[in-house]
Amino acid sequence: MTGVCGCCGALRPRYKRLVDNIFPEDPEDGLVKANMEKLTFYALSAPEKLDRIGAYLSERLSRDVARHRYGYVCIAMEALDQLLMACHCQSINLFVESFLKMVRKLLEADKPNLQILGTNSFVKFANIEEDTPSYHRSYDFFVSRFSEMCHSSYEDPDIRTKIRMAGIKGLQGVVRKTVNDELQANIWDPQHMDKIVPSLLFNLQSGEGTESRSPSPLQSSKKEKESPAELTERCFRELLGRAAYGNIKNAVTPVLMHLDNHSLWEGKTFAVRCFKIIMYSIQSQHSHLVIQQLLGHLDANSKSSATVRAGIVEVLLEAAAIAASGSVGPTVLEVFNTLLRHLRLSVDYELTGSYECTNIGTKIIKEHEERQLQEAVIRTIGSFANTLPTYQRSEVMLFIMGKIPIPGMHPTLPSTGSGPEGNRMIQVMLLKSLRQVTCGFQTTNMLTALPNSFLDPLLSFALQEDAEIRLLVLEILVSLIDRHDNLPKFSTISIISDISVLKLKVDKCSRQDNLFMKKHAQHLYRHIYLCCKEQSSVRPHFEKLYSLLALISMELANEEVVVDLIRVALALQDLALSSEEMLPVYNRCAVHALSSAYLNLISQLTTVPAFCQHVHEVIEMRQKESPYLLPEDVFIENPKIPKTLEKLEGELLFQQAKITEVLGGSGYNTERLATPYVPQFTDEDRLSKRKSIGETISLQVEVESRNSPEKEEVNENIKIYNTHRHIWLCSPVDSVGVEEQEKERRRQVVEKFQKAPFEEIAAHCGARATMLQSKLNQIFEITIRPPPSPSGTITSSYGQTQSRSVPVYEMKFPDLCVY
């Protein structure tokens, strides 16, 4: 029998004998290395036998697994690994099928050690670059099995950790093997991503306390022991780093679904961490795709709780900060439109107190949560704006301005029963958003960056009675004008004896700035003056007004602007002295303090010694006798002001004649300086404020009176004024006299219609209507009357002569009228 067995053994194929020889009698001795070298040499010499070697090894491994001979199982897998590393011929595909069959066998086993052994072999295989493609290989089982291992709940925590780490490594191997091979199954399909991504996030969440270590993707790990969370983060970064343009959506959607299903938006921390990894790992040119998906998810959750929406918005905020200029992508305004829509939606929810939800019916709103959401949306708008170039930021500013309801200019936006309070809240929220957008805004050409369509509605808000809205407008104006970061140096109002300590950055006013001021200066001055006139103005308003005056002086000032600013400051002093204005004592003192602080600043900027001396003398006198007229006693927590303000005169006041004299000696326009500043009232006041119906009607009648036939002299004056105004806009001719005359004329007209009896106003309107009707009758008579008849005229029964009508075919037409 021994001879027969030996004879049969000799008749076995050589590859089987070589495979059998690598297994020792005692599995603890390990692989027989000498015989393994012979097997490897044989496989390289006869590659056509490689598939048979693999099939035989697979057969032996299956038999050893079934018999629980795990030592021989390890030897078989080691032999397979070595053959894979050594052989790269065209026949390797058939060998790989046997190899994957064995790996699958190990992964299906109940023993954790076999699962880990199979995973390690698969990872080694995944790192091999095959020379020939495979058309029929499938990795669906491995994706499912490795994902299942990532969620292992084995009792022993150490073994559970090893199984989970093996599952993560297996998923990493599947991605590496398939992501760059177009002939393989597409790993980016939703059916695979819906298993891979949640498995990674599950393990990432278990180590939520550890921060993301580095913003760079594909970072190689250290030799130290890694936790499942650290390994997951590295694998997740690698997966995202390999994602092409068309695969971003499939990779991010499972992340959004996982955060929804496990209510992870409300905590914000984990959601922010996930998207930080995503934004740092994907290619920068694809960042806007992630932003768009987040915006779409925000729309899908419009009926969710405020905490969920706030969590999504916070993630958007962090993502926009990371993505820099590529975050918004091609649809810039759509991003801001979505955010503004949710801001408006939050205001509506806050006002109504509840909203209808399809799943749970009516849901009660928590006001403080909606406020937190609104602040988050405003911060996110600012974060997006900071990534945009100047020209796009200007477009966004115009876009937001177009969304703000302005009575008489922009229609009130529809709302679910919000009413006037809703419009006010929307105005506040959108102005806060606009303030965020303008932070850090710098442009070399103010004229093009801030057109009339933006400045006119913005300045109209400066005339609102609402103190909060006026303050927001001033903050926006200050941000727009500050181009050299001088604003922090004027955050508080004070008398500075030497402004050189401030180290101000002052550049020469450019031609574009001159044009901008020539076009908009009077509007700015008027709104500064009228803001000081408001009784509801408080300390922050005056501080921003001081900042605005100071920044105009440094950013946009030429000689003409400096003269006008001094006139405005002196007009503010007159405003505080006027008994006609019913200003509180604090406001009068605040206006005096504002005027003195600004004149102190502008006198040092002009560097005219006599001007500086006059301002210094007045300030010294106030310090001795009336310190409540200086900012140090007014703009403090507990203002030191008297109960009543006595009449001020003499050395306590800045003298316009004195200032005109000293500046005239330095070449400034004395005629303009000597003319007191009077704000120009326009229809904008009527549209913005509408304090009473009487004021609205009087302004309306004033406009009508310009076109009245009874006011030919007034019409003539207006024509002359328009001609002069056109010349002034086109050339640097001084137009102060004409402007002042026109202002005086307007004041008289307004005063007349405010004080005149109702009967007189009604008679005037009736006379105008009669005159208009007579003119219309004349026009109709000319256009409707038939042409004269050759037969002469006829007399009607009323004694009026009428032209006899002639048939059309008998009429004589000129040659040019006949075709």
Side-chain angles (χ1 to χ4, degrees), residues 476-518:
I476 292 169
L477 286 172
V478 166
S479 296
L480 292 171
I481 295 176
D482 182 30
R483 294 177 292 180
H484 294 88
D485 298 324
N486 288 318
L487 178 58
K489 300 164 187 176
F490 300 106
S491 56
T492 57
I493 307 179
S494 61
I495 302 295
I496 304 171
S497 57
D498 184 9
I499 63 171
S500 61
V501 298
L502 297 178
K503 298 180 180 179
L504 301 174
K505 300 175 184 177
V506 183
D507 285 345
K508 186 178 179 181
C509 190
S510 65
R511 180 176 176 273
Q512 290 83 1
D513 292 341
N514 287 332
L515 292 174
F516 175 80
M517 289 304 290
K518 192 172 288 292

Coordinates of all heavy atoms in Angstrom, one line a residue, residues 476-518:
I476 N -23.8 101.3 8.4 CA -23.6 100.9 7.1 C -22.8 102.0 6.3 O -21.8 101.7 5.6 CB -24.9 100.6 6.4 CG1 -25.5 99.3 7.0 CG2 -24.7 100.4 4.9 CD1 -27.0 99.1 6.5
L477 N -23.2 103.2 6.5 CA -22.5 104.3 5.8 C -21.1 104.4 6.2 O -20.1 104.6 5.4 CB -23.2 105.6 6.1 CG -24.6 105.8 5.3 CD1 -25.2 107.1 5.8 CD2 -24.3 105.9 3.8
V478 N -20.8 104.2 7.5 CA -19.5 104.3 8.0 C -18.6 103.2 7.5 O -17.5 103.4 7.1 CB -19.5 104.2 9.6 CG1 -18.1 104.0 10.1 CG2 -20.1 105.6 10.1
S479 N -19.2 102.0 7.4 CA -18.4 100.8 6.8 C -18.1 101.0 5.4 O -17.0 100.7 4.9 CB -19.2 99.5 7.0 OG -19.4 99.2 8.3
L480 N -19.0 101.6 4.6 CA -18.8 101.9 3.2 C -17.7 102.9 3.0 O -16.9 102.8 2.0 CB -20.1 102.3 2.5 CG -21.2 101.3 2.4 CD1 -22.5 101.9 1.9 CD2 -20.8 100.1 1.5
I481 N -17.6 103.9 3.8 CA -16.7 105.0 3.6 C -15.3 104.7 4.1 O -14.3 105.2 3.6 CB -17.3 106.3 4.2 CG1 -18.6 106.7 3.5 CG2 -16.3 107.5 4.1 CD1 -19.3 107.9 4.1
D482 N -15.2 103.9 5.2 CA -13.9 103.6 5.8 C -13.2 102.6 4.9 O -13.4 101.4 4.9 CB -14.2 103.0 7.2 CG -12.8 102.7 7.9 OD1 -11.9 103.4 7.6 OD2 -12.8 101.8 8.7
R483 N -12.2 103.1 4.2 CA -11.4 102.3 3.3 C -9.9 102.1 3.8 O -9.2 101.4 3.2 CB -11.4 102.9 1.9 CG -12.7 102.9 1.2 CD -12.7 103.5 -0.1 NE -12.5 105.0 0.0 CZ -12.4 105.8 -1.1 NH1 -12.5 105.3 -2.3 NH2 -12.2 107.1 -0.9
H484 N -9.6 102.8 4.9 CA -8.2 102.7 5.4 C -8.2 102.3 6.8 O -7.2 102.5 7.6 CB -7.5 104.0 5.2 CG -7.2 104.4 3.8 ND1 -8.2 105.1 3.0 CD2 -6.2 104.2 2.9 CE1 -7.7 105.3 1.8 NE2 -6.5 104.7 1.7
D485 N -9.3 101.6 7.3 CA -9.4 101.1 8.7 C -9.1 102.2 9.7 O -8.4 102.0 10.7 CB -8.4 100.0 8.9 CG -8.7 98.8 8.0 OD1 -9.9 98.5 7.7 OD2 -7.7 98.2 7.5
N486 N -9.7 103.4 9.5 CA -9.6 104.5 10.5 C -10.7 104.4 11.5 O -10.7 105.2 12.5 CB -9.6 105.8 9.8 CG -8.2 106.1 9.1 OD1 -7.2 105.8 9.6 ND2 -8.3 106.6 7.8
L487 N -11.7 103.6 11.2 CA -12.9 103.6 12.1 C -12.7 103.4 13.5 O -13.2 104.1 14.4 CB -14.0 102.7 11.5 CG -15.3 102.5 12.3 CD1 -16.0 103.9 12.4 CD2 -16.2 101.5 11.6
P488 N -11.8 102.4 13.9 CA -11.6 102.1 15.3 C -11.1 103.3 16.1 O -11.3 103.4 17.3 CB -10.6 100.9 15.3 CG -10.8 100.3 14.0 CD -11.2 101.4 13.1
K489 N -10.4 104.2 15.4 CA -9.8 105.4 16.1 C -10.9 106.4 16.4 O -10.6 107.4 17.1 CB -8.7 106.0 15.2 CG -7.6 105.0 14.9 CD -6.8 105.4 13.7 CE -5.8 104.3 13.4 NZ -5.0 104.6 12.2
F490 N -12.1 106.3 15.9 CA -13.2 107.2 16.1 C -14.4 106.5 16.8 O -15.5 106.9 16.6 CB -13.6 107.9 14.8 CG -12.5 108.7 14.2 CD1 -11.9 108.2 13.0 CD2 -12.0 109.9 14.7 CE1 -10.9 108.9 12.4 CE2 -11.0 110.6 14.1 CZ -10.4 110.1 13.0
S491 N -14.1 105.4 17.5 CA -15.2 104.7 18.1 C -15.9 105.5 19.2 O -17.1 105.3 19.5 CB -14.7 103.4 18.6 OG -13.7 103.6 19.5
T492 N -15.2 106.4 19.8 CA -15.7 107.3 20.8 C -15.5 108.7 20.5 O -14.5 109.1 19.8 CB -15.1 107.0 22.2 OG1 -13.7 107.1 22.2 CG2 -15.5 105.5 22.7
I493 N -16.3 109.6 21.0 CA -16.2 111.0 20.7 C -15.4 111.7 21.9 O -15.7 111.5 23.0 CB -17.6 111.7 20.6 CG1 -18.5 111.0 19.6 CG2 -17.4 113.2 20.2 CD1 -19.8 111.6 19.5
S494 N -14.3 112.3 21.5 CA -13.5 113.0 22.5 C -12.7 114.2 21.8 O -12.6 114.2 20.6 CB -12.5 112.0 23.1 OG -11.6 111.5 22.1
I495 N -12.3 115.1 22.7 CA -11.5 116.2 22.2 C -10.0 115.7 22.3 O -9.4 115.5 23.3 CB -11.7 117.4 23.1 CG1 -13.1 117.8 23.2 CG2 -10.8 118.6 22.7 CD1 -13.7 118.3 21.8
I496 N -9.4 115.6 21.1 CA -8.0 115.2 21.0 C -7.1 116.4 20.7 O -7.3 117.1 19.7 CB -7.9 114.1 19.8 CG1 -8.9 113.0 20.1 CG2 -6.5 113.6 19.7 CD1 -9.0 112.0 18.9
S497 N -6.2 116.6 21.6 CA -5.4 117.8 21.5 C -4.4 117.7 20.3 O -4.1 118.7 19.7 CB -4.6 118.1 22.8 OG -3.9 116.9 23.1
D498 N -4.0 116.5 20.0 CA -3.0 116.3 18.9 C -3.4 115.0 18.2 O -3.2 113.9 18.7 CB -1.6 116.1 19.5 CG -0.6 116.0 18.4 OD1 -0.9 116.2 17.2 OD2 0.6 115.8 18.7
I499 N -4.0 115.1 17.0 CA -4.5 113.9 16.3 C -3.3 113.1 15.7 O -3.6 112.0 15.2 CB -5.4 114.4 15.2 CG1 -4.7 115.2 14.1 CG2 -6.6 115.1 15.8 CD1 -5.6 115.5 12.9
S500 N -2.1 113.6 15.8 CA -1.0 112.8 15.2 C -0.8 111.5 16.0 O -0.3 110.5 15.5 CB 0.3 113.6 15.3 OG 0.7 113.9 16.6
V501 N -1.3 111.4 17.2 CA -1.1 110.2 18.0 C -2.1 109.1 17.5 O -1.8 107.9 17.8 CB -1.5 110.5 19.5 CG1 -0.5 111.5 20.1 CG2 -2.9 110.9 19.7
L502 N -3.1 109.5 16.7 CA -4.0 108.5 16.2 C -3.4 107.8 15.0 O -3.9 106.7 14.6 CB -5.3 109.2 15.7 CG -6.1 109.8 16.8 CD1 -7.4 110.5 16.2 CD2 -6.6 108.8 17.9
K503 N -2.3 108.3 14.4 CA -1.7 107.7 13.2 C -2.7 107.4 12.1 O -2.9 106.3 11.7 CB -0.9 106.5 13.6 CG 0.2 106.7 14.6 CD 0.9 105.4 14.9 CE 2.0 105.7 15.9 NZ 2.8 104.5 16.3
L504 N -3.4 108.5 11.7 CA -4.5 108.3 10.7 C -3.9 108.1 9.3 O -2.8 108.6 9.0 CB -5.4 109.6 10.7 CG -6.1 109.9 12.0 CD1 -6.8 111.3 11.9 CD2 -7.1 108.8 12.4
K505 N -4.6 107.3 8.6 CA -4.2 107.0 7.2 C -5.0 107.9 6.3 O -6.2 107.7 6.1 CB -4.4 105.6 6.8 CG -3.6 104.6 7.7 CD -3.9 103.2 7.4 CE -3.1 102.2 8.3 NZ -3.5 100.8 8.0
V506 N -4.4 108.9 5.7 CA -5.1 109.9 4.8 C -4.5 109.9 3.5 O -3.3 110.1 3.3 CB -5.1 111.3 5.4 CG1 -5.9 112.2 4.6 CG2 -5.6 111.3 6.9
D507 N -5.3 109.6 2.4 CA -4.8 109.7 1.1 C -5.5 110.8 0.3 O -6.5 111.3 0.7 CB -5.2 108.4 0.3 CG -4.3 107.2 0.7 OD1 -3.2 107.5 1.3 OD2 -4.6 106.1 0.4
K508 N -4.8 111.3 -0.7 CA -5.4 112.4 -1.5 C -6.6 111.9 -2.2 O -6.8 110.8 -2.7 CB -4.3 112.8 -2.6 CG -4.8 114.0 -3.4 CD -3.7 114.4 -4.3 CE -4.1 115.7 -5.1 NZ -3.1 116.1 -6.1
C509 N -7.6 112.8 -2.2 CA -8.9 112.5 -2.8 C -8.8 112.3 -4.3 O -8.3 113.2 -5.0 CB -9.9 113.6 -2.4 SG -11.6 113.2 -2.9
S510 N -9.2 111.2 -4.8 CA -9.1 110.8 -6.2 C -10.2 111.6 -7.0 O -11.1 112.1 -6.4 CB -9.2 109.3 -6.4 OG -10.5 108.9 -6.1
R511 N -10.1 111.5 -8.3 CA -11.0 112.1 -9.2 C -12.4 111.4 -9.0 O -13.4 112.1 -9.0 CB -10.6 112.0 -10.6 CG -11.5 112.6 -11.6 CD -10.9 112.6 -13.0 NE -11.9 113.1 -14.0 CZ -12.8 112.4 -14.6 NH1 -12.9 111.1 -14.3 NH2 -13.7 112.9 -15.5
Q512 N -12.4 110.1 -8.9 CA -13.7 109.4 -8.7 C -14.4 109.8 -7.4 O -15.6 110.0 -7.4 CB -13.4 107.9 -8.7 CG -13.1 107.3 -10.1 CD -11.6 107.5 -10.4 OE1 -10.8 108.0 -9.5 NE2 -11.2 107.0 -11.5
D513 N -13.6 110.0 -6.4 CA -14.1 110.4 -5.1 C -14.7 111.9 -5.2 O -15.8 112.2 -4.6 CB -13.1 110.4 -4.0 CG -12.7 109.0 -3.7 OD1 -13.4 108.1 -4.0 OD2 -11.6 108.8 -3.1
N514 N -14.0 112.7 -5.9 CA -14.6 114.1 -6.1 C -15.9 114.0 -6.9 O -16.8 114.8 -6.5 CB -13.6 114.9 -7.0 CG -12.3 115.3 -6.1 OD1 -12.4 115.4 -4.9 ND2 -11.2 115.5 -6.8
L515 N -16.0 113.2 -7.9 CA -17.3 113.1 -8.6 C -18.4 112.5 -7.7 O -19.5 112.9 -7.7 CB -17.1 112.2 -9.8 CG -16.2 112.7 -10.9 CD1 -16.0 111.7 -12.0 CD2 -16.8 114.0 -11.5
F516 N -18.0 111.6 -6.9 CA -19.0 111.0 -5.9 C -19.5 112.0 -5.0 O -20.7 112.1 -4.7 CB -18.3 109.8 -5.1 CG -19.2 109.2 -4.1 CD1 -20.2 108.3 -4.4 CD2 -19.0 109.6 -2.8 CE1 -21.0 107.8 -3.4 CE2 -19.9 109.1 -1.8 CZ -20.8 108.1 -2.1
M517 N -18.6 112.8 -4.4 CA -19.0 113.9 -3.5 C -19.8 115.0 -4.2 O -20.8 115.5 -3.6 CB -17.8 114.4 -2.7 CG -17.2 113.5 -1.7 SD -18.4 112.9 -0.5 CE -18.7 114.3 0.4
K518 N -19.4 115.3 -5.4 CA -20.2 116.3 -6.1 C -21.6 115.9 -6.3 O -22.6 116.7 -6.4 CB -19.5 116.6 -7.4 CG -20.0 117.9 -8.2 CD -19.1 118.2 -9.3 CE -17.8 118.7 -8.9 NZ -17.9 120.1 -8.3

